[in-house]
Amino acid sequence: MSLVKARIQGNATVVTIPKSFNVKPGTEFRFKKGENGTLILSPSKKVPDTMEELFKNWHGKYQTPDDLKDWDNAKPVGEELW
């Protein structure tokens, strides 16, 4: 277990993650405070904004199927999580 100290930086309290944890810079985390002051960080999954973004790391050639061409411009019509 590594020991780190919280410090003030601007208007925030900052805790440094040791480099040995191999956390990729730019990784986004969800943060919550647990029992007895336990701090819990969980990597968040970003929901892609477009079909192209969803397939950006795919090694094939992506072409939007005809039935999904209007996907990026579609508006929710019910109680979808959009």
Side-chain angles (χ1 to χ4, degrees), residues 64-75:
T64 304
D66 290 337
D67 61 335
L68 295 177
K69 292 223 184 257
D70 292 330
W71 176 264
D72 291 332
N73 299 320
K75 301 291 183 213

Side-chain angles (χ1 to χ4, degrees), residues 1-4 18 20-21:
M1 178 185 281
S2 296
L3 181 66
V4 295
S20 62
F21 282 34

Side-chain angles (χ1 to χ4, degrees), residues 31-78:
F31 178 79
K32 81 177 187 181
K33 190 171 182 180
E35 295 179 24
N36 300 323
T38 301
L39 303 177
I40 302 166
L41 294 173
S42 302
S44 65
K45 290 186 175 181
K46 183 180 181 303
V47 177
D49 294 323
T50 64
M51 294 296 281
E52 286 77 15
E53 186 178 334
L54 177 65
F55 287 98
K56 73 179 177 184
N57 292 321
W58 187 51
H59 299 293
K61 183 175 180 184
Y62 172 74
Q63 292 180 334
T64 304
D66 290 337
D67 61 335
L68 295 177
K69 292 223 184 257
D70 292 330
W71 176 264
D72 291 332
N73 299 320
K75 301 291 183 213
V77 294

